[in-house]
Amino acid sequence: MLKKKYHSYLYPLSSGGGAIIDVDIHKTEFADVPLRLEAGTPNIEAVIGLADAIHFINKNGGIHQFYLLEEHLKNYLYQRLFELQDQLDIYTTLQSPSVLVISFNVKNQHPFDVGTLLNNYGIAVRTGHHCTQPLMKYLKIQGTVRVSLAAYNTIEEIDRFIQALHKAIKMLL
Amino acid sequence: MSQNKILQIEKELLDEFELFGDDWEAKYNYIIELGKTLPTMPNQYKTDDYLIKGCQSRVWLKADKENNVLHFMADSDALIPKGIIALLLKLVNHQSADEILNYDFGIINKIGLQQHLSPTRANGLVSMINSIKQYAKAK
């Protein structure tokens, strides 16, 4: 926390409504901290959204419940993907601590093709280098397909994804 | 009428696509197969000079202009973009620069391809068309 006596040394990166006391041709008098640093409309929707997200988590058993649910989904997703391991290169391991994001490729197929077909089956995945071009160069690949889940996804949706992946592989071979 | 040749090919393609109706899998299968018919592009041309910017996959396009007629060659490391560029080349290959520049590439909407591509993926399609037009405009 910045000591109060230094507050008057802080100047805003961007100025705007609500951040000033008086503006003159030669001099601008800023409001006190924190108002001088909060020009314009505050990020109200984000504050309300965050509160609602916390409420949603608490209402559904708390953060540990979410962790268990996501672990359950992650294990199932890996299990289903490993059934196809002869046809896939999977770049994430179950052992590595991670959020629920799994990168893979269909062997010898471009991630763009796989992603485009999955999209048409109603499955949203990200494809490309995911802002990690040095890693992609190291792996000598153009990119990966990245499937990510969250607590609001279901086992049935994972089954639908695997079914769509089967169809996509069949179309590309 | 100079426009007739490309429009004639467009009509033939649209007739074929009409058979698929709303079956997007059939459309994609057709496009993927079309890509496989594309003549091989020699590796020496698969360089940044011929790379189309704005595609998530790599698509190379090269054109030679002879007596105002354009002869294209293309390739991609992904099957669907390769099929799409093959489809576009079916229309514009060996046509005159004027005919190409007069054509609106309406086929993309008419066969409903764009609605099956997410916005970032559809950007690549626009880049392909722009690249073809640039070759047609070049001296």
Side-chain angles (χ1 to χ4, degrees):
Chain A
M1 197 71 111
L2 189 70
K3 289 201 167 91
K4 200 162 183 180
K5 61 178 175 178
Y6 296 118
H7 280 187
S8 59
Y9 294 100
L10 287 176
Y11 284 94
L13 273 174
S14 55
S15 52
I20 45 96
I21 289 173
D22 187 56
V23 177
D24 194 78
I25 293 291
H26 303 292
K27 186 175 170 285
T28 298
E29 195 184 338
F30 288 100
D32 286 339
V33 171
L35 286 182
R36 64 164 60 190
L37 304 174
E38 295 178 353
T41 308
N43 198 356
I44 296 167
E45 62 274 32
V47 174
I48 296 172
L50 177 64
D52 233 34
I54 293 169
H55 183 63
F56 173 76
I57 289 171
N58 287 340
K59 202 176 70 185
N60 287 286
I63 197 80
H64 189 66
Q65 234 9 74
F66 274 66
Y67 168 75
L68 293 178
L69 177 58
E70 291 190 355
E71 283 298 296
H72 176 58
L73 292 172
K74 185 162 90 174
N75 286 334
Y76 186 70
L77 177 57
Y78 267 106
Q79 182 198 322
R80 296 300 319 265
L81 280 174
F82 275 124
E83 288 167 15
L84 288 166
Q85 64 179 330
D86 292 345
Q87 287 158 292
L88 302 180
D89 291 319
I90 303 171
Y91 301 103
T92 324
T93 66
L94 190 53
Q95 285 74 32
S96 59
S98 75
V99 287
L100 233 173
V101 170
I102 299 176
S103 262
F104 69 94
N105 271 323
V106 175
K107 279 192 196 325
N108 303 316
Q109 301 300 335
H110 199 287
F112 177 92
D113 289 329
V114 178
T116 304
L117 295 179
L118 286 176
N119 178 40
N120 281 292
Y121 287 116
I123 307 290
V125 293
R126 206 183 150 201
T127 59
H129 50 66
H130 317 300
C131 306
T132 61
Q133 276 159 319
L135 177 62
M136 298 297 139
K137 283 175 192 163
Y138 174 78
L139 294 170
K140 295 190 171 63
I141 53 176
Q142 287 299 313
T144 69
V145 181
R146 205 176 69 178
V147 55
S148 65
L149 300 173
Y152 42 72
N153 286 114
T154 63
I155 293 290
E156 291 71 34
E157 284 168 341
I158 295 174
D159 288 336
R160 267 183 62 196
F161 158 64
I162 294 293
Q163 203 180 14
L165 186 59
H166 268 289
K167 288 184 189 166
I169 291 171
K170 216 173 124 193
M171 270 182 85
L172 291 168
L173 290 181
Chain B
M1 294 290 283
S2 62
Q3 185 71 323
N4 279 353
K5 245 190 284 175
I6 293 183
L7 288 183
Q8 181 60 38
I9 302 168
E10 183 190 71
K11 195 185 171 304
E12 287 165 20
L13 285 169
L14 289 177
D15 287 345
E16 286 190 65
F17 269 91
E18 199 157 306
L19 299 174
F20 302 138
D22 290 333
D23 185 352
W24 72 266
E25 283 175 312
K27 285 183 197 174
Y28 268 87
N29 271 327
Y30 178 90
I31 287 167
I32 289 169
E33 290 307 314
L34 201 60
K36 291 175 184 166
T37 67
L38 208 58
T40 315
M41 185 183 204
N43 278 335
Q44 69 196 84
Y45 298 127
K46 291 182 195 169
T47 63
D48 284 353
D49 289 344
Y50 300 110
L51 196 65
I52 299 179
K53 306 266 184 304
C55 292
Q56 220 186 70
S57 58
R58 290 184 294 176
V59 180
W60 299 274
L61 181 69
K62 181 183 186 297
D64 291 308
K65 211 178 202 178
E66 226 177 305
N67 301 324
N68 209 37
V69 171
L70 283 118
H71 306 285
F72 289 96
M73 60 170 94
D75 201 358
S76 172
D77 56 0
L79 295 177
I80 294 167
K82 188 169 173 170
I84 293 172
I85 194 83
L87 180 79
L88 296 175
L89 291 196
K90 246 183 175 318
L91 294 155
V92 300
N93 208 6
H94 312 304
Q95 308 291 351
S96 78
D98 300 325
E99 286 179 53
I100 294 169
L101 289 171
N102 277 325
Y103 178 55
D104 65 358
F105 290 88
I107 187 161
I108 297 303
N109 279 328
K110 288 176 194 159
I111 62 176
L113 198 58
Q114 208 147 8
Q115 73 197 57
H116 291 299
L117 293 168
S118 67
T120 44
R121 290 177 186 136
N123 278 346
L125 186 58
V126 175
S127 301
M128 286 182 200
I129 292 171
N130 285 340
S131 184
I132 289 171
K133 286 181 181 166
Q134 268 166 19
Y135 277 119
K137 271 185 211 158
K139 288 265 186 293

